[in-house]
């Protein structure tokens, strides 16, 4: 089971949009996909029209010891399920910090051992911070993907992610920064063109060949609660996301699956 944590220390860089479109595309290719909403805002849950009801387990309950199997909810798409996130994550993070127990950082990793044979891919949509629930995602993941809009603050956030990945690897966790995905890209602006070149030549992180271009269709798709690759199949970002997933998993649908070199 391959686990992607979608991470950046800056908000508004299309982390949730990327997670939701990745999950949809992988499921449409016949893969069993679980999307874990690891963000207090619960936007990925809302995108797939998941609403908390009495007795509904969420990712917060998993951090408190509930089985992750009890928190998994189906979506309207075959082979795509969701674990909801909600405001209760704020309380959970305070509880985890108060424990001062190193094992508190591996709760999610241990919980996911129960579903190793049930899914081909897990995608963890993370909040833009380094709270205990996000640290758990780092240690549970096999791959870190960093959506990044071209600006100075996002690049600063990338450096923080790089440091956290090195720390996780030093602690014996088999995780890697698989790649930076440039989002909201406008090729007509000099800043975006030069920023992309800077990322590819002046940083230590791998950068995906494909970028996600800016388009109003992405915002429209969010309002419609549909992946842009379904809502506007021929628009530029839809084509970009399909190309990105093909780059990330180049032999999708076959026994051999690859990754960004």
């Amino acid at each position: 089971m391959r686990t992607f944590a979608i991470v950046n220390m800056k908000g508004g860089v299309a982390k949730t949009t990327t997670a939701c479109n990745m999950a949809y595309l992988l499921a449409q290719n016949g893969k069993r996909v679980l999307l874990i909403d690891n963000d207090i805002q619960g936007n990925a849950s809302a995108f797939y029209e998941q609403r908390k009801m009495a007795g509904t387990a969420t990712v917060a309950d998993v951090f408190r010891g509930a089985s992750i199997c009890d928190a998994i909810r189906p979506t309207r798409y075959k082979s795509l399920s969701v674990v909801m996130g909600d405001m209760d994550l704020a309380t959970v993070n305070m509880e985890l910090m108060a424990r001062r127990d190193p094992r508190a950082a591996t709760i999610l990793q241990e919980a996911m051992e129960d579903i190793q044979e049930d899914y081909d891919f897990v995608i963890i949509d993370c909040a833009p911070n380094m709270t205990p629930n996000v640290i758990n995602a780092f240690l549970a993941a096999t791959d870190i993907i960093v959506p990044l809009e071209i600006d100075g603050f996002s690049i600063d956030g990338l450096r923080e992610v790089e440091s956290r990945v090195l720390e996780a690897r030093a602690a014996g966790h088999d995780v890697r920064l698989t790649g930076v995905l440039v989002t909201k890209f406008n090729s007509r602006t000099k800043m975006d063109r030069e920023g992309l070149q800077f990322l590819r030549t002046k940083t230590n992180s791998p950068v995906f060949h494909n970028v996600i271009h800016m388009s109003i269709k992405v915002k429209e798709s969010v309002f419609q609660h549909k992946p842009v690759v379904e809502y506007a199949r021929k628009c530029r970002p839809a084509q970009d996301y399909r190309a990105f997933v093909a780059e990330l998993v180049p032999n999708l649908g076959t026994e051999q699956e690859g990754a960004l070199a």
Side-chain angles (χ1 to χ4, degrees):
M1 184 176 75
R2 197 167 170 194
T3 301
F4 299 104
I6 314 301
V7 180
N8 192 321
M9 297 302 102
K10 183 176 183 297
V13 296
K15 291 189 301 295
T16 298
T17 299
T18 296
C20 290
N21 278 275
M22 280 178 63
Y24 172 84
L25 284 166
L26 290 167
Q28 289 296 300
N29 276 277
K31 299 300 182 182
R32 301 165 300 167
V33 182
L34 178 64
L35 174 61
I36 298 178
D37 188 348
N38 195 34
D39 190 338
I40 188 174
Q41 296 182 70
N43 289 336
S45 305
F47 185 90
Y48 280 112
E49 300 181 323
Q50 302 294 313
R51 299 288 184 269
K52 187 175 181 179
M53 302 172 65
T56 301
T58 68
V59 71
D61 296 301
V62 175
F63 282 117
R64 289 181 171 131
S67 169
I68 195 170
C69 299
D70 294 335
I72 294 171
R73 294 290 177 267
T75 70
R76 65 182 180 272
Y77 299 107
K78 182 181 179 181
S79 301
L80 174 54
S81 300
V82 171
V83 172
M84 289 178 55
D86 67 354
M87 294 290 290
D88 205 20
L89 274 170
T91 305
V92 162
N93 279 321
M94 289 189 289
E95 293 169 356
L96 294 176
M97 285 187 283
R99 283 173 55 176
R100 299 185 180 277
D101 181 354
R103 291 174 297 179
T106 58
I107 293 172
L108 188 58
Q109 181 184 35
E110 292 172 7
M112 287 169 52
E113 290 176 2
D114 291 340
I115 58 170
Q116 284 288 331
E117 303 302 321
D118 299 329
Y119 293 94
D120 301 301
F121 295 98
V122 174
I123 298 170
I124 310 174
D125 182 34
C126 293
N129 50 45
M130 199 52 69
T131 45
N133 66 313
V134 177
I135 294 170
N136 264 265
F138 267 83
L139 302 186
T142 56
D143 300 76
I144 304 295
I145 294 175
V146 185
L148 187 148
E149 183 180 1
I150 299 293
D151 67 30
F153 295 116
S154 289
I155 292 173
D156 289 342
L158 172 61
R159 295 190 180 103
E160 176 67 17
V161 173
E162 290 172 339
S163 296
R164 293 292 179 169
V165 171
L166 289 174
E167 289 175 7
R169 292 183 65 85
H173 294 273
D174 188 17
V175 59
R176 61 173 175 164
L177 203 170
T178 302
V180 175
L181 176 66
V182 173
T183 61
K184 302 183 180 181
F185 184 71
N186 185 348
S187 60
R188 292 174 293 183
T189 68
K190 182 179 179 182
M191 183 182 75
D192 277 20
R193 295 194 304 270
E194 291 184 349
L196 179 59
Q197 182 66 13
F198 174 86
L199 284 170
R200 287 178 169 162
T201 60
K202 303 297 183 181
T203 67
N204 295 323
S205 297
V207 180
F208 288 101
H209 173 75
N210 290 284
V211 301
I212 311 300
H213 288 80
M214 182 179 291
S215 169
I216 190 62
K217 293 297 182 183
V218 176
K219 287 187 176 180
E220 291 176 4
S221 72
V222 172
F223 277 110
Q224 294 297 322
H225 295 274
K226 290 183 177 180
V228 69
V229 289
E230 179 189 30
Y231 172 75
R233 298 173 187 272
K234 295 183 180 180
C235 75
R236 186 68 181 272
Q239 296 177 41
D240 294 339
Y241 272 119
R242 284 192 289 268
F244 158 64
V245 169
E247 180 181 1
L248 179 67
V249 189
N251 296 293
L252 187 60
T254 69
E255 290 300 320
Q256 182 181 1
E257 292 164 351
L260 186 66

